[in-house]
Amino acid sequence: MLFRSAIEAGDVISEDIVDVEREVTLPNDGGRTTWTFRVTGLTGFLVAKTAALVGRDKPKDAYDIVWLLENWPGGAEGAAATVSGSGLMEREDVTRSLRRLKAEFSETDRLGPASYVRFMTSGRASADERMRLARQASGAVSEFAAVLRISPE
């Protein structure tokens, strides 16, 4: 099964939960405290965003994927280690989704890079700038997929 929407990926999202501690300022001069938030882990996020990328026409989905992979602690290697450590790579639906992610960013004219360029430029950029952004998007996902050793679709 390939997830056609982020909602269909809900099973993976609810299985991939991590606790994140953050310092927060309470309202009404309540002071600062450390709070633990339960959030979706990287694997669940990527599965949901891949479903969104291919299931709707919102260029921000591609941007979110690229931004997160580029800014994850440790870059592509850190992101791959986090996904590997989630224990969800054993699931066929997860590996199929990650193969689809790889495929949709595999070349600069695929859906992922094209959507990323649309989000970043709003159509107002030179051909060189558009190509640079497409390569950036393709490269970010390709590097992640290579480190994770995601096989072709």
Side-chain angles (χ1 to χ4, degrees):
M1 173 185 147
L2 184 61
F3 302 110
R4 293 183 312 256
S5 72
I7 292 172
E8 288 180 359
D11 183 38
V12 176
I13 293 170
S14 62
E15 223 180 291
D16 188 23
I17 302 295
V18 295
D19 291 333
V20 176
E21 283 190 358
R22 293 289 185 260
E23 187 84 8
V24 296
T25 301
L26 299 173
N28 302 318
D29 296 322
R32 291 183 310 124
T33 188
T34 301
W35 193 262
T36 302
F37 297 91
R38 294 183 56 93
V39 299
T40 298
L42 180 59
T43 307
F45 180 86
L46 289 173
V47 166
K49 277 296 180 177
T50 300
L53 175 71
V54 300
R56 63 184 186 172
D57 186 24
K58 297 207 183 244
K60 187 173 183 312
D61 294 320
Y63 171 82
D64 290 344
I65 291 166
V66 172
W67 186 91
L68 192 60
L69 292 176
E70 288 184 334
N71 290 282
W72 196 259
E77 287 184 20
T82 298
V83 169
S84 291
S86 73
L88 294 169
M89 290 296 292
E90 313 277 323
R91 291 179 52 151
E92 178 58 32
D93 54 356
V94 170
T95 57
R96 190 175 298 120
S97 179
L98 293 176
R99 283 194 303 267
R100 180 71 184 264
L101 174 65
K102 177 183 177 180
E104 293 303 341
F105 281 86
S106 63
E107 298 175 44
T108 57
D109 64 345
R110 297 286 301 179
L111 173 63
S115 295
Y116 181 77
V117 169
R118 283 176 47 212
F119 181 82
M120 294 294 289
T121 66
S122 300
R124 294 181 297 266
S126 69
D128 287 346
E129 178 64 6
R130 293 175 66 76
M131 182 53 74
R132 185 192 68 74
L133 290 167
R135 285 183 181 134
Q136 177 184 350
S138 180
V141 174
S142 295
E143 184 179 0
F144 165 75
V147 173
L148 201 55
R149 295 187 177 138
I150 297 172
S151 62
E153 196 171 19

